[in-house]
Amino acid sequence: MDNLKLKAFIPLLYLVWSDDLLNQKEVATLHDFIVFQNWLTAEEKKLLLAKVAVSAPPAREVVADWKRQVETILQENISVKSIFDISILLAENDKIINDLRPAFVKLENDLGISGEEAITDFKTVAKTFTSDCETNHGFEIEKLTQILDGKQAAIIKKVKSIISRPEFAYETSTDTAVYREKVYVWCKILAAENLGNMGYPKQYGGGENIADYFAVMETLSYHDLSLVIKFGVQFGLWGMSIQSLGTEKHYSKYLKDIGSLKLPGCFAMTETNHGSNVKGLETTATYNHHKQTFTIHTPHEKAQKEYIGNAAVHGQMATVFAKLIISETDYGVNAFIVPLRDANSTILEGITIGDCGLKMGLNGVDNGTIRFDNVIIPKENMLDRFASINEKGEFESPIPSDNRRFFTMLGTLVGGRIGIPRSALAAAKSGLTIAIKYSDKRRQFGPEGGSEVPILNYRIHQRRLLPLLAKTYAIHFALHYVTNRFINKSESEMPEIEGLAAGMKAYSTWSTTAILQECREACGGKGYLSENRIDALKNDTEIYTTFEGDNTVLMQLVAKSRLSEFRKSFGEMDAMRIINYVYENAKTSISEKNPIATRKTDETHLLDEDYHLNAFQYREKRILASAAKRLKKLIDSGLEPYDAFNVVQHQMIDVAQAYLERIVLEQFQEAIQATEDPKSKEILVKLCQLYALSQIEKNKGWYLEDGYMEAVKTKAIRKMVNQLCWEIRPDAVSLVKAFDIPDSCLAAPIAF
Amino acid sequence: MDNLKLKAFIPLLYLVWSDDLLNQKEVATLHDFIVFQNWLTAEEKKLLLAKVAVSAPPAREVVADWKRQVETILQENISVKSIFDISILLAENDKIINDLRPAFVKLENDLGISGEEAITDFKTVAKTFTSDCETNHGFEIEKLTQILDGKQAAIIKKVKSIISRPEFAYETSTDTAVYREKVYVWCKILAAENLGNMGYPKQYGGGENIADYFAVMETLSYHDLSLVIKFGVQFGLWGMSIQSLGTEKHYSKYLKDIGSLKLPGCFAMTETNHGSNVKGLETTATYNHHKQTFTIHTPHEKAQKEYIGNAAVHGQMATVFAKLIISETDYGVNAFIVPLRDANSTILEGITIGDCGLKMGLNGVDNGTIRFDNVIIPKENMLDRFASINEKGEFESPIPSDNRRFFTMLGTLVGGRIGIPRSALAAAKSGLTIAIKYSDKRRQFGPEGGSEVPILNYRIHQRRLLPLLAKTYAIHFALHYVTNRFINKSESEMPEIEGLAAGMKAYSTWSTTAILQECREACGGKGYLSENRIDALKNDTEIYTTFEGDNTVLMQLVAKSRLSEFRKSFGEMDAMRIINYVYENAKTSISEKNPIATRKTDETHLLDEDYHLNAFQYREKRILASAAKRLKKLIDSGLEPYDAFNVVQHQMIDVAQAYLERIVLEQFQEAIQATEDPKSKEILVKLCQLYALSQIEKNKGWYLEDGYMEAVKTKAIRKMVNQLCWEIRPDAVSLVKAFDIPDSCLAAPIAF
């Protein structure tokens, strides 16, 4: 094609035969365009049409030559902005072509190849900011680790050194029996290191340090999670049930052997027919005053104890929850120590043990079922801190209500609802460490002609992982807060702390489930290989949202307790007065609800911590008030309260969620206040902003419905979330390194 | 307490000692109240105060007696509305007490026990609508099954009968080797039944019925998913690669043996360093014209083939994708048949096979890695439908562009992106069947004094499962539509169909991941036991979001293809004209955007299918236009298009999502139009309404931001979603029964 006029068609011809830019219809459009150009001779038309004929493609070399010609033009003319700019230069400013500009531009539009983007097909090696972004070190990792570990740094260090030993190499056998024994051996090593009895009183050989006990649970969770749960069953559930529900005679008899793992045991509460509604347990403990014994009995198959950890293989005793019957009167659920096996592991008479078999995860824990066929135990085996039977054989308790007594007993076991969310958080940290380190190195795609780019440079990948990283930091501080509240609790604070623990258990474990899901997907095929451990992390923690209280049920409880707090403040106020009260209680919020504030989008405002906290508080109060109003309306209209609560269940979840989000943000902000190292503080502030704004973004439907924000603001928040992700990305690897998870625990090849 | 005045305190005293209603502070409030009542004598005060003293709880029998007294009052006086009403009746309308009404009411408010709800603690057996709701049969299950199965009913029936045979009992061994062999044996049985070659031409022993082939894949997915994937690798990926990329000489040589599973093989595309960006594959196939051979070579470790199904144990050959090199010129990625093992399963020289080892799921499939060390294959082993080497040793192809040729080759393999989402959908159906049948029988909690209630009667449980059930039905019809489009495709429709398949692959597999997560949680501890199969369903399908194209990458592709369609329509229109165009194209939408329509909340309107479809279409167009505008603005401002696309990645996902949601709704509505049986139609309409409204609810943030709906409307939609869940609940069990999954496949004990 030496004809200058015809040269104008070169870029178009190239596009016909190069990458999949034009479809058949579009090629036909180009065909017609050529046919209708009167200034072309019949021969020229024929020549051009031959070059777009699907039946006779040009040689590969011809297409390559077209490309070279165009590339030369582009290299020599940086001002080129469109395909037509190339055409006119190839045609050496031929007048005919120049006059045809509108026709060519229309053609390019018709073919969808208008604008600058179309010419990138010809450009080689573009400089892009997406490629330039890379990991740097904006703060000292060790200092941030210190802030995270706090006062428990010493015990955390000790546990890490133990689980990094060669004997803690992960078990790779798929044989459940082998795995269970390995986990049991690990537990014995930990017991020998005095980690199991960390929470028990010193006089029974314990460490009397609950804060350290929780730190142990959390740190162990960087290792195998079956180990953590087996450990928690033995030293937490079994041991703590003795400590919390028993009295001196039980402590002196059992605690030392439990702490040393000489006496492995179980916590037998859940029954097949009663999981969430434990008040309805059906196992009976019938008192025989004459013989001074109890008879423990399973009335029917579905009343068997189920999912009981340590039951299938190792447990020698169990704390069994059963309805106490004295002279045919039911005194509600109480707790009893029941032997299951002798020291040779032989199952005792009257006890039937089943094996729960293979589970989705935690297969190193021997969960089983237990049935009792009129098993006789001595009177002293009743855990009698909250209720007892006197010399005359009469029931005695400082708490007359059976339900209330039972829930008081359960309240003493709330520690489990602190250990589990902290374990869940550790698993999330492992997953994020693996996924973020991998994403920083894994390259895929890149600018035309340039190198491939780390996938963490892609906005969508940042969006998937970095808000979750921020949330993980946020929950870390919130769980420390709950732990501290629990350790320093007074009796009167218990209802609040129980609510906090139940709520944070749900919040943290749901968060972990979502995080590990995202991590798996973010690691693609590599995330599916067991060697990279997201498999185990995900499947082991999957049940965290169910055990220690089903999350949905816990959220209902949290909401109900918020609601009863609320109603105690308001009593019989009418709807209008309630609303007014809420407004008064959120004065800063009101001032923000004027048209200027609801539309305020300057960066200083959007990143302002007070704005964040106000928005969270406002939402919490409004949702609570609205749920209360709705319930009242439903009940006033004649609904049974049971039905009314059913109708608003969905809103109740929101009540609890909004409460927990506020707590988490508040605690994150307070932790930052207390941070001294300026570089650590700086990055924590960014993470906190990202947590706050991504939660607001998630809830934008609510904020818009309420009128607290207008569209212009929620849109600005979306952009700000993107921007924060982009700004945090260079520090992302350092932020996961600050979790300081031992390499041997992390183990995943893709993380190194 | 015979003193009538004192009797007024009985309900309050009961509440102090009964369930956990009052905390210490509130008991103190009651204490103070008593102290300040001047009308009580010192002795009376002392008596009452003794009864609220924490240190000296009353006997259990005393509390029980108080309760009986209150209950008697309640039984005899149905008009009682508050605690004070009880007090006054117990006090037999004592004047002093009557005059104290305001003080008592204030006290009750202070204690948070005002209103009707407080008195339910005394009520026994309330009649509630929550308890009354139960499973009924509003339609004929078989008729709905017919509608779902459609023209493939016969083959579906055949497959079900095969996988229900005793030899298809699930493998329970945790030994991977055992499991892999079992799956292989199953595949051989299916091959013997002529199911594997269903899609191949008749002249090579096939069934020449692609529609049936997809139905086979889908139906097999009710059974073990390793089986489905192994089946798909052999007959789909391996066999179809020969059929789609090879020519007659390959068909006659291989297809029959592939279809009978005499020749197990692999599809070796993915490399460690190139998963999503397959254009960058590094394996080479160097042509030697002298010897008429190719040399297949892996240049470095990270260029090995990875995750290749059938590679670790059974595969004898593989279709290998490699860059063709002729005389040191790179002709892009082409496909070659490379032998891996001889008939005795001995690995051939130059081939190194690795085992991917344990995976999160699909452990019945032998995924492996393959490395080639200068492996020589004959020239005829090049799959030469789209490119070949002529007698002179020159490269020839009807598609001059290497990339375009490669993507054309990939396009012929799009069938995999139809098989996978259909398999995913079947897994979701299994999960929902198990979870819904269990929730219909599992009882937990209940009204005070009444029986426990099936958990599917709880609104929150309905909310968790029923919108997902509706979505599953919706996707079912959409996937049938995509299948039909694929089977009846013309060349020019291919880009659209490729986009549809890629998008629906992402939409369906993400949906399945979310559904199985919800099912696991909804089944609590039972959902965690492997015997109930949610474990396997969840872990096996987990990789569906990654393989056959990473979902996030696919969504970007779908969005880009939507965008290029869009730009072809608009060309260089300015922003305002684009917006106007969108409005014109959504005329009904405009009419809805007037203040009346944006607030319209009557039931007829909210349930109107045209309203639903308009809302979906409006959203699709607006999001597309907005992404286009934003991209244009970014590029005009000087960004490289690569960077600009990175900035809008998050919006791109929305573009694809909105497109797919519209397709799914449209197809569901069309399927309903074609439904004749009135009862089936009626329930499908409800499901379709639930799908539509729950999607709108999910996207309410966007609709509010856009102004298409106002808060009053989105709130009404939330209520309508709840109502539809409630209305569908009685039919839920029948709706999952209509999936007609064989009992032996479902297998989960909790589903029976």
Coordinates of all heavy atoms in Angstrom, one line a residue, chain A residues 538-597:
Chain A
K538 N -9.9 -21.9 57.6 CA -11.3 -21.6 57.2 C -12.2 -22.7 57.8 O -13.2 -22.4 58.4 CB -11.4 -21.6 55.7 CG -12.6 -21.0 55.1 CD -12.3 -20.8 53.6 CE -13.5 -20.2 52.9 NZ -14.7 -21.0 53.0
N539 N -11.9 -23.9 57.6 CA -12.7 -25.0 58.0 C -12.7 -25.2 59.6 O -13.8 -25.5 60.1 CB -12.4 -26.3 57.3 CG -12.9 -26.4 55.9 OD1 -14.1 -26.1 55.7 ND2 -12.1 -26.7 55.0
D540 N -11.6 -25.0 60.2 CA -11.6 -25.1 61.6 C -12.4 -24.0 62.3 O -13.1 -24.2 63.3 CB -10.1 -25.0 62.1 CG -9.3 -26.3 61.8 OD1 -9.9 -27.3 61.4 OD2 -8.1 -26.2 61.9
T541 N -12.3 -22.8 61.8 CA -13.0 -21.7 62.4 C -14.5 -21.6 62.0 O -15.3 -20.8 62.6 CB -12.4 -20.3 62.1 OG1 -12.3 -20.1 60.7 CG2 -11.0 -20.2 62.7
E542 N -14.9 -22.4 61.0 CA -16.2 -22.4 60.5 C -17.3 -22.6 61.6 O -18.3 -21.9 61.7 CB -16.4 -23.4 59.4 CG -17.8 -23.6 58.9 CD -18.4 -22.4 58.2 OE1 -17.7 -21.8 57.4 OE2 -19.6 -22.1 58.5
I543 N -16.9 -23.4 62.6 CA -17.9 -23.7 63.6 C -17.9 -22.7 64.8 O -18.8 -22.6 65.6 CB -17.6 -25.1 64.2 CG1 -18.8 -25.7 65.1 CG2 -16.4 -25.1 65.1 CD1 -20.1 -25.9 64.3
Y544 N -16.9 -21.8 64.7 CA -16.8 -20.7 65.7 C -18.1 -19.9 65.8 O -18.5 -19.3 66.8 CB -15.6 -19.8 65.5 CG -14.3 -20.3 65.9 CD1 -13.9 -21.6 65.8 CD2 -13.3 -19.4 66.4 CE1 -12.7 -22.1 66.1 CE2 -12.1 -19.9 66.8 CZ -11.7 -21.2 66.7 OH -10.5 -21.6 67.0
T545 N -18.8 -19.7 64.6 CA -20.0 -18.9 64.6 C -21.2 -19.7 65.2 O -22.2 -19.1 65.4 CB -20.4 -18.5 63.1 OG1 -20.5 -19.7 62.3 CG2 -19.3 -17.7 62.5
T546 N -21.0 -20.9 65.5 CA -22.0 -21.7 66.1 C -21.8 -22.1 67.6 O -22.6 -21.9 68.4 CB -22.2 -23.0 65.3 OG1 -22.6 -22.7 64.0 CG2 -23.3 -23.9 66.0
F547 N -20.6 -22.6 67.9 CA -20.4 -23.0 69.3 C -20.1 -21.8 70.2 O -19.9 -20.7 69.8 CB -19.3 -24.1 69.4 CG -17.9 -23.9 69.1 CD1 -17.4 -22.6 69.0 CD2 -17.0 -24.9 68.9 CE1 -16.0 -22.4 68.8 CE2 -15.7 -24.7 68.7 CZ -15.2 -23.5 68.6
E548 N -20.2 -22.1 71.5 CA -20.2 -21.1 72.5 C -21.4 -20.1 72.2 O -21.3 -18.9 72.5 CB -18.9 -20.3 72.5 CG -17.8 -21.0 73.3 CD -18.0 -21.0 74.8 OE1 -18.8 -20.2 75.3 OE2 -17.3 -21.7 75.5
G549 N -22.5 -20.6 71.6 CA -23.6 -19.8 71.4 C -23.7 -19.4 69.9 O -22.8 -18.8 69.4
D550 N -24.8 -19.9 69.2 CA -25.1 -19.5 67.9 C -25.1 -18.0 67.7 O -25.8 -17.3 68.4 CB -26.4 -20.2 67.4 CG -26.7 -19.8 66.0 OD1 -27.4 -18.7 65.8 OD2 -26.4 -20.5 65.1
N551 N -24.3 -17.5 66.7 CA -24.2 -16.1 66.6 C -25.5 -15.4 66.4 O -25.7 -14.3 67.0 CB -23.3 -15.7 65.4 CG -21.9 -15.9 65.7 OD1 -21.5 -16.3 66.7 ND2 -21.0 -15.5 64.7
T552 N -26.4 -15.9 65.7 CA -27.7 -15.2 65.4 C -28.5 -15.2 66.7 O -29.1 -14.1 67.1 CB -28.5 -16.0 64.4 OG1 -27.7 -16.1 63.2 CG2 -29.8 -15.2 64.0
V553 N -28.5 -16.2 67.5 CA -29.2 -16.3 68.8 C -28.5 -15.2 69.7 O -29.2 -14.5 70.4 CB -29.1 -17.7 69.4 CG1 -29.8 -17.7 70.8 CG2 -29.9 -18.6 68.5
L554 N -27.2 -15.2 69.7 CA -26.4 -14.3 70.6 C -26.8 -12.8 70.3 O -27.0 -12.0 71.1 CB -24.9 -14.5 70.5 CG -24.3 -15.8 71.1 CD1 -22.8 -15.8 70.9 CD2 -24.7 -15.9 72.5
M555 N -26.9 -12.6 69.0 CA -27.2 -11.2 68.5 C -28.6 -10.8 69.0 O -28.8 -9.6 69.4 CB -27.1 -11.1 67.0 CG -25.7 -11.2 66.5 SD -24.6 -9.9 67.0 CE -24.8 -8.7 65.6
Q556 N -29.5 -11.7 69.0 CA -30.9 -11.5 69.5 C -30.8 -11.1 71.0 O -31.5 -10.2 71.5 CB -31.8 -12.6 69.3 CG -32.1 -13.1 67.9 CD -32.9 -12.0 67.1 OE1 -33.7 -11.4 67.6 NE2 -32.5 -11.9 65.8
L557 N -30.0 -11.9 71.7 CA -29.8 -11.6 73.2 C -29.2 -10.3 73.4 O -29.7 -9.5 74.3 CB -28.9 -12.7 73.8 CG -29.5 -14.1 73.9 CD1 -28.5 -15.0 74.6 CD2 -30.8 -14.1 74.7
V558 N -28.2 -9.9 72.7 CA -27.5 -8.6 72.8 C -28.6 -7.5 72.6 O -28.7 -6.6 73.3 CB -26.3 -8.5 71.9 CG1 -25.8 -7.1 71.9 CG2 -25.2 -9.5 72.2
A559 N -29.3 -7.7 71.5 CA -30.3 -6.7 71.1 C -31.4 -6.6 72.3 O -31.8 -5.4 72.6 CB -31.0 -7.0 69.8
K560 N -31.8 -7.7 72.8 CA -32.8 -7.6 73.8 C -32.2 -6.9 75.1 O -32.9 -6.2 75.7 CB -33.2 -9.0 74.2 CG -34.3 -9.6 73.3 CD -34.9 -10.9 73.7 CE -35.8 -11.4 72.6 NZ -36.3 -12.8 72.9
S561 N -31.0 -7.1 75.4 CA -30.4 -6.5 76.5 C -30.3 -5.0 76.3 O -30.5 -4.2 77.2 CB -29.1 -7.1 77.0 OG -28.0 -6.5 76.4
R562 N -29.9 -4.6 75.0 CA -29.8 -3.2 74.7 C -31.2 -2.6 74.8 O -31.4 -1.5 75.3 CB -29.4 -3.0 73.3 CG -28.0 -3.5 73.0 CD -26.9 -2.9 73.8 NE -26.8 -1.4 73.7 CZ -26.3 -0.6 74.5 NH1 -25.8 -1.1 75.7 NH2 -26.2 0.7 74.3
L563 N -32.2 -3.3 74.4 CA -33.6 -2.8 74.4 C -34.1 -2.6 75.8 O -34.8 -1.7 76.1 CB -34.4 -3.9 73.6 CG -35.5 -3.4 72.7 CD1 -35.0 -2.3 71.8 CD2 -36.1 -4.6 71.9
S564 N -33.7 -3.6 76.7 CA -34.2 -3.4 78.0 C -33.5 -2.3 78.7 O -34.2 -1.5 79.5 CB -34.1 -4.8 78.8 OG -32.8 -5.0 79.2
E565 N -32.3 -2.1 78.4 CA -31.6 -0.9 78.9 C -32.4 0.4 78.5 O -32.6 1.3 79.2 CB -30.2 -0.8 78.3 CG -29.2 -1.7 79.0 CD -29.0 -1.5 80.5 OE1 -28.9 -0.3 80.9 OE2 -29.1 -2.4 81.2
F566 N -32.7 0.4 77.2 CA -33.3 1.5 76.6 C -34.7 1.7 77.2 O -35.0 2.9 77.6 CB -33.5 1.2 75.1 CG -34.2 2.2 74.3 CD1 -33.5 3.3 73.8 CD2 -35.6 2.2 74.1 CE1 -34.1 4.3 73.0 CE2 -36.2 3.2 73.4 CZ -35.5 4.2 72.8
R567 N -35.4 0.7 77.4 CA -36.8 0.9 78.0 C -36.7 1.3 79.4 O -37.6 2.0 79.9 CB -37.6 -0.4 77.8 CG -38.2 -0.4 76.4 CD -39.1 -1.6 76.2 NE -38.3 -2.8 76.3 CZ -38.8 -4.0 76.1 NH1 -40.1 -4.1 75.8 NH2 -38.1 -5.1 76.2
K568 N -35.7 0.9 80.1 CA -35.6 1.3 81.4 C -35.4 2.9 81.5 O -35.8 3.5 82.4 CB -34.4 0.6 82.2 CG -34.9 -0.8 82.6 CD -33.7 -1.6 83.0 CE -34.2 -3.1 83.1 NZ -33.1 -4.0 83.2
S569 N -34.7 3.4 80.4 CA -34.5 4.8 80.4 C -35.8 5.6 80.0 O -36.0 6.7 80.4 CB -33.4 5.2 79.4 OG -32.4 4.3 79.4
F570 N -36.6 4.9 79.2 CA -37.7 5.7 78.6 C -39.1 5.4 79.2 O -40.0 6.2 79.1 CB -37.8 5.4 77.1 CG -36.6 5.8 76.4 CD1 -35.7 4.9 75.9 CD2 -36.3 7.2 76.3 CE1 -34.6 5.3 75.2 CE2 -35.1 7.6 75.7 CZ -34.3 6.7 75.1
G571 N -39.2 4.2 79.8 CA -40.5 3.8 80.3 C -41.6 4.1 79.3 O -41.5 3.6 78.2
E572 N -42.6 4.8 79.7 CA -43.8 4.9 78.9 C -43.8 6.1 78.0 O -44.9 6.5 77.5 CB -45.1 4.8 79.7 CG -45.3 3.5 80.4 CD -46.5 2.8 79.9 OE1 -47.6 3.4 79.9 OE2 -46.4 1.6 79.6
M573 N -42.7 6.6 77.7 CA -42.6 7.8 76.8 C -43.4 7.4 75.5 O -43.3 6.3 75.1 CB -41.2 8.0 76.4 CG -40.4 8.9 77.3 SD -38.8 9.3 76.4 CE -37.9 9.8 77.8
D574 N -44.0 8.4 74.9 CA -44.6 8.2 73.6 C -43.5 8.3 72.5 O -42.4 8.7 72.8 CB -45.8 9.1 73.4 CG -45.4 10.5 73.4 OD1 -44.2 10.8 73.0 OD2 -46.2 11.4 73.7
A575 N -43.9 7.9 71.4 CA -43.0 7.8 70.3 C -42.2 9.1 70.1 O -41.0 9.1 69.9 CB -43.7 7.4 69.0
M576 N -43.0 10.2 70.1 CA -42.4 11.5 69.8 C -41.3 11.9 70.8 O -40.3 12.4 70.5 CB -43.5 12.6 69.7 CG -43.2 13.7 68.8 SD -42.5 13.1 67.2 CE -41.0 14.1 67.1
R577 N -41.7 11.6 72.0 CA -40.7 11.9 73.1 C -39.5 11.0 73.0 O -38.4 11.5 73.3 CB -41.4 11.8 74.5 CG -42.2 13.0 74.8 CD -43.1 12.8 76.1 NE -42.2 12.6 77.2 CZ -42.7 12.0 78.3 NH1 -43.9 11.4 78.3 NH2 -41.9 11.9 79.4
I578 N -39.7 9.8 72.6 CA -38.5 8.9 72.4 C -37.6 9.5 71.4 O -36.4 9.6 71.6 CB -38.9 7.5 72.0 CG1 -39.6 6.8 73.2 CG2 -37.7 6.7 71.6 CD1 -40.2 5.4 72.9
I579 N -38.2 9.8 70.3 CA -37.4 10.4 69.2 C -36.7 11.6 69.6 O -35.5 11.8 69.4 CB -38.3 10.7 68.0 CG1 -39.0 9.5 67.5 CG2 -37.5 11.4 66.8 CD1 -38.1 8.4 67.0
N580 N -37.4 12.5 70.3 CA -36.7 13.7 70.8 C -35.6 13.4 71.7 O -34.5 14.0 71.6 CB -37.8 14.6 71.6 CG -38.7 15.3 70.6 OD1 -38.4 15.4 69.5 ND2 -39.9 15.6 71.1
Y581 N -35.8 12.4 72.6 CA -34.7 12.0 73.5 C -33.5 11.6 72.7 O -32.4 12.0 73.0 CB -35.2 10.9 74.4 CG -34.1 10.4 75.3 CD1 -33.9 10.9 76.6 CD2 -33.2 9.4 74.9 CE1 -32.9 10.5 77.4 CE2 -32.2 9.0 75.7 CZ -32.0 9.5 77.0 OH -31.0 9.1 77.8
V582 N -33.7 10.8 71.7 CA -32.6 10.3 70.9 C -31.9 11.5 70.3 O -30.6 11.5 70.3 CB -33.1 9.3 69.9 CG1 -32.0 9.0 68.9 CG2 -33.6 8.1 70.5
Y583 N -32.6 12.4 69.8 CA -32.0 13.6 69.2 C -31.2 14.4 70.2 O -30.0 14.7 69.9 CB -33.0 14.5 68.6 CG -33.4 14.1 67.2 CD1 -34.2 13.0 66.9 CD2 -32.9 14.8 66.1 CE1 -34.5 12.6 65.7 CE2 -33.2 14.3 64.8 CZ -34.0 13.3 64.6 OH -34.3 12.9 63.3
E584 N -31.7 14.5 71.4 CA -31.0 15.2 72.4 C -29.7 14.5 72.8 O -28.7 15.2 73.1 CB -31.9 15.4 73.7 CG -33.2 16.1 73.4 CD -33.2 17.4 74.2 OE1 -32.6 17.4 75.3 OE2 -33.9 18.3 73.8
N585 N -29.8 13.2 72.8 CA -28.6 12.4 73.1 C -27.6 12.4 72.0 O -26.6 11.8 72.2 CB -29.1 11.0 73.5 CG -29.1 10.8 75.0 OD1 -28.1 10.5 75.6 ND2 -30.3 11.1 75.6
A586 N -27.9 12.9 70.9 CA -27.0 12.9 69.8 C -26.9 14.3 69.3 O -27.1 14.5 68.1 CB -27.5 11.9 68.8
K587 N -26.6 15.2 70.1 CA -26.6 16.6 69.8 C -25.7 16.9 68.6 O -26.1 17.6 67.6 CB -26.2 17.5 71.0 CG -27.3 17.9 71.9 CD -27.0 19.2 72.5 CE -28.3 19.9 73.1 NZ -29.0 19.0 74.0
T588 N -24.5 16.4 68.6 CA -23.6 16.6 67.5 C -24.2 16.1 66.2 O -24.1 16.6 65.2 CB -22.2 16.0 67.7 OG1 -22.5 14.6 68.2 CG2 -21.4 16.7 68.7
S589 N -25.0 15.0 66.4 CA -25.6 14.4 65.2 C -26.7 15.3 64.7 O -26.8 15.5 63.5 CB -26.3 13.1 65.6 OG -25.3 12.3 66.2
I590 N -27.4 15.9 65.5 CA -28.5 16.8 65.0 C -27.8 17.9 64.2 O -28.2 18.2 63.1 CB -29.2 17.5 66.2 CG1 -29.9 16.4 67.0 CG2 -30.3 18.4 65.6 CD1 -30.6 16.9 68.2
S591 N -26.7 18.5 64.8 CA -26.1 19.6 64.1 C -25.6 19.1 62.7 O -25.5 19.9 61.8 CB -25.0 20.2 64.9 OG -23.9 19.2 65.0
E592 N -25.3 17.8 62.6 CA -24.9 17.3 61.3 C -26.0 17.0 60.4 O -25.8 16.8 59.2 CB -24.1 16.0 61.5 CG -22.8 16.2 62.3 CD -21.8 15.2 61.9 OE1 -22.1 14.3 61.1 OE2 -20.7 15.3 62.4
K593 N -27.2 17.0 60.9 CA -28.3 16.7 60.0 C -28.9 17.9 59.3 O -29.9 17.8 58.7 CB -29.4 15.9 60.8 CG -29.9 14.7 60.0 CD -31.0 14.0 60.8 CE -31.9 13.2 59.7 NZ -32.9 12.4 60.4
N594 N -28.2 19.0 59.5 CA -28.7 20.1 58.7 C -28.1 19.9 57.3 O -27.2 19.2 57.0 CB -28.2 21.5 59.3 CG -26.7 21.6 59.2 OD1 -26.1 21.5 58.2 ND2 -26.1 21.8 60.4
P595 N -28.8 20.6 56.3 CA -28.5 20.3 54.9 C -27.0 20.4 54.6 O -26.5 19.7 53.7 CB -29.3 21.3 54.1 CG -30.4 21.7 55.0 CD -29.9 21.6 56.4
I596 N -26.3 21.3 55.3 CA -24.8 21.5 54.9 C -24.1 20.2 55.4 O -23.3 19.7 54.6 CB -24.3 22.8 55.5 CG1 -24.9 24.0 54.9 CG2 -22.8 22.8 55.3 CD1 -24.8 25.3 55.6
A597 N -24.3 19.8 56.6 CA -23.5 18.7 57.2 C -23.8 17.4 56.4 O -22.9 16.6 56.2 CB -23.9 18.5 58.7

